[in-house]
């Protein structure tokens, strides 16, 4: 895929950098992958292997041929429970392997927060870690990094040598060298390399759990059994291509208990991390009180945060056991030990799975709570995962905060405190030359600070381009030269992900935004009040962590779940829109065919507005784009048949019997479908003989005791299913409400947005404001039965008219029926039956679904 659209979508990852690739290849088989490398070799083209594309240090974007193995090379080849290992292809999703392993009482310990979309190959390349790396550490699997859990790999060098690597005994090593050929040459050079640098490696590498920076050269030492596979883990695609891997599985405690310990601030949380770690938790994380404040400001999981005990910083200590009681008893012993101290913290024990999941949801929302917080500057990665010895976390945090203040920066702090890894996003200025110079100076000082603590520049996300220039500060020039020689053994032509780790691109080069990025100020239909009124900032919301790429569950992103194509996910579409504004690869602006194609399969479900950690609203961006794209051209036929259904229905209501007959008559029905761009197998819903509004005109209202509500007759309730409206009136009146409907027929315009018919939609919204504006208040709420309509009042109305008082009043006082009853404290009678609640996608995205589930 060497077209402009594919190159645009793969031009960046989750980092601050942008490298438009030569092209993209999605090999369907291992043989196709090998052939892809051969073709690149024939043309001297560099390559970069990519899994989920969530790298934060630019490991998976480069001016090269991007090989994406995540769609097809995704199989579990063998699950060996006796040996506690799994043999997998590089594109398999971590969660897929873990779920199968858990059926046998086993698990993978190196689980990142992106576990439902991260590929095993990508995790090996990055040497990823996660919450339960502590579990692997307790079980004797090194530090719990991915590298410590790789038993064997089949690899391919750029020059075409295919070999299997792993632990190598002395006799095996000599046999491989005697065998000769390219493989023998590599092993001979590795042996000489090890002998040359062994003492220096032992002296210069920090002995901490989360040292991810640099190559894993200690794995070549005799005491590490000359483990070539583990030495290649964490090389970020700069040395070889992974064809398959065998990874270790660890015993999975069947029961868990979660102890949440509150301290006055995040620094004291760090002070006590090592103390709690001594009690052998299987996970030990930390949250900053500022993070919880941000969640409240964003309205993100606010109810869940009420579960936390008192404090300004929290440790989340998870304990495992063979039973729930055993896990809970361990946690209680830790609580008792902490309470015996004079300065006992506040603590709460959670044993139910639901409550534990709620707490972990708070932790996994760290990114969402630190990016695009209302009223605060934008934050960026760039120093997001430094690591120090666990016992020194508190002091390091205090010094790091002091460094932030010296440079005028602010950041929330959280992370894997049980292994000394600190996460943060910082309000760097990456747009202005002086801001970038200030950021670069900060990085030098931050690197010296973490090294002074015996720490690592990276404790999880790797070096890539973001930190590689700083490696001499951590390792010294001799070890950096060793990195260069190690890469040279595997990749003498420097074609494997060049410019990363070894001889890196400058940290401040090829920034995605920067002094050269000047997106045009576009006149738009929506006003984007949450993005300072700028469409360009709205498009920048996507931070690239790829939550839209998961394969099951949630609402976002249905088209990606169906296709597993980057182009058809929220992130891919956001990248296409960014490149449209950038004007490099995609140059035709609103008339771009590449962007139109990327947006075509977006269902406008708005799931991303809720499920995306930073609330990317692709449905709105699609509507905006289509409005401009189709400004002077005909839209697809379905836009006129479906988008204008409000007007077609008004016409049909004049003679519903005639309309239904026409829609059912085979020849005429076929003609209507063809004209309207409707699939021939679709059936038309019949129009009601009497509209809901007509029924209301004849209806005798009951005496009200609770007040008045204005019921909104949406298009489908009014013209197709008036019984729904009738039932709502009966319920409301039975509960004591006076029910009225708007004086004139209205429509929220929902079918128009997806089609980009925003001029017409804006006209309908103005009608609504003129008609309902004077009536709607807290005393007279607007009640809807169709979630998409109520969502339009809460979302699109405000986005179109953010400064109009009538719009704000309608948005504030519009409710779904169940929401109104919950607000007014109305208890419905309980029925001895169960019901499955299928929440409308717009309901999930914009409204509160909890009252519907409770009702």
């Amino acid at each position: 895929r060497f077209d402009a659209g594919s190159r645009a979508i793969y031009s960046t990852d989750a980092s601050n950098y942008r490298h438009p690739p030569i092209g993209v290849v999605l090999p369907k088989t291992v043989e196709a992958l090998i052939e892809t490398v051969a073709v690149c070799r024939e043309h001297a083209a560099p390559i970069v292997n990519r899994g989920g594309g969530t790298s934060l240090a630019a490991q998976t974007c480069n001016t090269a041929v991007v090989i994406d193995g995540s769609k097809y090379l995704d199989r579990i080849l063998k699950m060996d429970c006796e040996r506690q290992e799994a043999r997998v292809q590089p594109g398999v999703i971590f969660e897929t392997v873990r779920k199968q392993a858990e059926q046998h009482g086993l698990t993978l310990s190196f689980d990142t927060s992106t576990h439902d979309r991260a590929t095993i190959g990508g995790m090996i390349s990055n040497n990823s870690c996660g919450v339960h790396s502590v579990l692997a550490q307790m079980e004797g699997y090194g530090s719990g990094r991915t590298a410590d859990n790789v038993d064997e790999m089949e690899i391919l060098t750029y020059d075409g040598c295919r070999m299997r690597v792993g632990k190598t005994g002395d006799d095996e090593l000599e046999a491989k060298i005697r065998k000769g050929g390219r493989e023998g040459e590599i092993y001979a050079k590795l042996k000489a390399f090890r002998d040359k640098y062994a003492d220096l490696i032992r002296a210069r590498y920090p002995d901490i759990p989360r040292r991810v920076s640099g190559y894993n050269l200690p794995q070549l030492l005799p005491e590490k059994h000359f483990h070539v596979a583990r030495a290649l883990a964490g090389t970020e695609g700069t040395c070889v291509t992974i064809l398959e891997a065998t990874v270790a599985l660890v015993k999975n405690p069947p029961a868990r208990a979660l102890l949440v310990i509150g301290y006055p601030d995040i620094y004291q949380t760090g002070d006590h991390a090592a103390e709690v770690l001594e009690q052998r938790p299987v996970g030990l994380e930390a949250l900053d009180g500022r993070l919880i404040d941000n969640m409240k400001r964003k309205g993100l999981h606010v109810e869940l945060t009420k579960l936390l005990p008192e404090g300004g910083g929290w440790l989340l200590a998870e304990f495992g056991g063979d039973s729930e009681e055993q896990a809970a008893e361990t946690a209680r012993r830790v609580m008792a030990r902490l309470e015996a101290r004079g300065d006992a913290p506040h603590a709460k024990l959670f044993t139910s799975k639901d409550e534990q999941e709620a707490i972990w949801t708070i932790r996994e929302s760290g990114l969402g709570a630190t990016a695009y917080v209302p009223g605060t500057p934008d934050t960026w990665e760039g120093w997001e995962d430094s690591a120090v010895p666990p016992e020194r976390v508190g002091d390091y945090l205090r010094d790091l905060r002091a460094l932030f203040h010296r440079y005028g920066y602010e950041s929330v702090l959280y992370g894997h405190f049980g292994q000394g890894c600190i996460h943060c996003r910082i309000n760097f200025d990456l747009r202005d030359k002086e801001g970038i110079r200030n950021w670069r100076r900060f990085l030098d000082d931050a690197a010296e600070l973490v090294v002074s603590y015996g720490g690592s520049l990276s404790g999880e996300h790797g070096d890539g381009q973001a930190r590689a220039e700083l490696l001499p500060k951590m390792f010294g020039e001799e070890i950096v030269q060793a990195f260069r020689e190690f890469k040279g053994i595997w990749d003498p032509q420097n074609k494997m992900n060049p410019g990363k780790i070894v001889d890196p691109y400058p940290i401040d080069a090829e920034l995605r935004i920067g002094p050269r990025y000047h997106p045009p100020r576009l006149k738009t239909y929506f006003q984007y009040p949450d993005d300072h009124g700028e469409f360009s900032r709205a498009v920048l919301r996507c931070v690239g962590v790829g939550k839209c790429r998961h394969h099951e569950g949630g609402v976002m992103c249905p088209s990606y779940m169906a296709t597993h194509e980057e182009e058809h996910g929220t992130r891919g579409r956001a990248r296409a829109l960014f490149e449209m504004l950038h004007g490099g690869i995609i140059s035709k602006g609103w008339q771009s065919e590449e962007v139109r194609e990327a947006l075509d399969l977006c269902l406008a479900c708005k799931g991303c507005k809720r499920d995306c950690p930073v609330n990317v609203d692709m449905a709105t961006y699609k509507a905006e784009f289509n409005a401009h794209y189709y400004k002077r051209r005909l839209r697809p036929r379905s836009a006129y048949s479906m988008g204008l259904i409000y007007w077609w229905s008004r016409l049909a209501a004049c003679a519903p019997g005639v309309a239904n007959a026409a829609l059912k008559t085979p020849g005429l029905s076929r003609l209507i479908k063809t004209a309207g761009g409707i699939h021939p197998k679709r059936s038309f819903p019949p129009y009601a003989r009497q509209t809901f509004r007509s029924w209301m005109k004849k209806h005798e209202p009951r005496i009200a005791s609770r007040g008045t509500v204005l019921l909104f007759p949406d298009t489908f309730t009014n013209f197709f299913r008036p019984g729904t409206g009738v039932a709502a009136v009966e319920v409301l009146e039975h509960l004591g409400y006076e029910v009225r409907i708007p004086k004139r027929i209205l429509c929220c315009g929902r079918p128009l947005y997806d089609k980009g018919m925003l001029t017409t939609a804006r006209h309908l919204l103005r009608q609504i404001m003129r008609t309902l504006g004077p009536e709607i208040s807290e005393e007279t709420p607007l009640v809807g039965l169709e979630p998409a309509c109520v969502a339009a009042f809460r979302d699109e109305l405000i986005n179109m008219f953010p400064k109009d008082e009538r719009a704000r009043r309608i948005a504030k006082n519009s409710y779904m029926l169940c929401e109104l009853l919950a607000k007014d404290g109305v208890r419905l009678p309980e029925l001895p039956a169960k019901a499955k609640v299928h929440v409308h996608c717009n309901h999930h995205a914009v409204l509160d679904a909890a009252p519907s589930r409770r009702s």
Side-chain angles (χ1 to χ4, degrees), residues 56 58 80 273 341 354 375 483 525 587 634 643 743:
L56 286 153
D80 192 330
R341 297 170 55 92
D354 288 344
F483 294 161
Y525 293 87
S587 57
L634 286 173
K743 296 174 183 177

Side-chain angles (χ1 to χ4, degrees), residues 26-30 32-33 72-73 89:
L26 278 72
K28 293 187 175 181
T29 64
V30 172
L33 172 55
Y72 298 111
L73 302 178
Q89 290 185 316

Side-chain angles (χ1 to χ4, degrees), residues 686-696 699 711-732 739 785-786 817:
Y687 284 100
R689 292 185 179 277
Q690 181 186 42
T691 66
F692 172 64
R693 289 185 64 86
S694 298
W695 180 87
M696 278 295 289
H699 175 65
L711 188 64
F712 187 79
D714 60 88
T715 296
F716 280 86
T717 297
N718 189 39
F719 295 108
F720 295 96
R721 297 290 179 88
T724 304
V726 172
V729 171
E730 290 175 347
V731 168
L732 286 165
V739 182
L785 305 175
E786 167 54 53
L817 177 59

Side-chain angles (χ1 to χ4, degrees), residues 32-43:
L33 172 55
I34 294 169
E35 184 63 20
T36 300
V37 175
V39 172
C40 291
R41 182 169 64 248
E42 182 182 343
H43 294 276

Side-chain angles (χ1 to χ4, degrees), residues 33-81:
L33 172 55
I34 294 169
E35 184 63 20
T36 300
V37 175
V39 172
C40 291
R41 182 169 64 248
E42 182 182 343
H43 294 276
I47 65 174
V48 53
N49 289 286
R50 174 166 164 144
T54 59
S55 296
L56 286 153
Q59 293 96 325
T60 54
C61 62
N62 212 328
T63 308
V65 174
V66 174
I67 302 176
D68 181 353
S70 66
K71 180 170 183 177
Y72 298 111
L73 302 178
D74 62 348
R75 293 170 53 216
I76 298 173
L77 301 172
K78 185 179 181 181
M79 182 75 66
D80 192 330
C81 298

Side-chain angles (χ1 to χ4, degrees), residues 64-116:
V65 174
V66 174
I67 302 176
D68 181 353
S70 66
K71 180 170 183 177
Y72 298 111
L73 302 178
D74 62 348
R75 293 170 53 216
I76 298 173
L77 301 172
K78 185 179 181 181
M79 182 75 66
D80 192 330
C81 298
E82 286 190 17
R83 294 170 63 93
Q84 290 188 205
E85 61 184 25
R87 186 162 61 90
V88 301
Q89 290 185 316
V92 69
I93 299 296
F94 173 92
E95 194 68 19
T96 303
V97 183
R98 178 160 70 177
K99 282 184 176 179
Q100 187 166 324
E102 286 179 344
Q103 295 175 15
H104 306 282
L106 302 169
T107 191
L108 295 162
S109 64
F110 48 99
D111 55 340
T112 68
S113 60
T114 56
H115 52 82
D116 59 350

Side-chain angles (χ1 to χ4, degrees), residues 464-589:
Q465 181 177 349
R467 283 171 284 276
E469 250 194 315
L470 303 171
L471 288 173
K473 293 179 180 290
M474 177 175 169
F475 290 103
E477 293 292 349
E478 292 172 287
I479 288 291
V480 170
Q481 174 58 27
F483 294 161
R484 191 173 292 113
E485 292 178 24
F486 182 77
K487 175 178 169 64
I489 293 171
W490 298 100
D491 178 32
Q493 298 178 60
N494 191 29
K495 297 296 183 182
M496 298 294 298
N497 207 11
K500 312 297 169 72
I501 300 183
V502 171
D503 300 322
Y505 303 128
I507 287 176
D508 53 3
E510 307 300 331
L511 290 170
R512 190 154 53 94
I513 62 169
R516 292 183 297 173
Y517 178 57
H518 297 289
R521 290 267 321 187
L522 300 170
K523 186 177 181 181
T524 56
Y525 293 87
F526 291 107
Q527 300 306 300
Y528 307 99
D530 293 335
D531 290 295
H532 313 317
E534 297 178 21
F535 180 69
S536 58
R537 186 179 185 271
V539 168
L540 266 178
R541 272 184 174 272
C542 177
V543 294
V545 296
K547 190 175 180 182
C548 49
R549 286 174 53 93
H550 63 181
H551 289 185
E552 59 183 25
V555 176
M556 175 186 72
C557 174
S559 49
Y560 179 81
M561 284 191 262
T563 65
H564 293 186
E565 288 280 354
E566 181 75 15
E567 177 186 27
H568 298 309
T570 305
R571 182 178 71 177
R573 293 173 180 128
R575 297 301 188 229
L577 286 164
F578 170 83
E579 290 294 333
M580 179 191 84
L581 296 178
H582 189 279
I585 306 171
I586 295 176
S587 57
K588 293 185 179 179

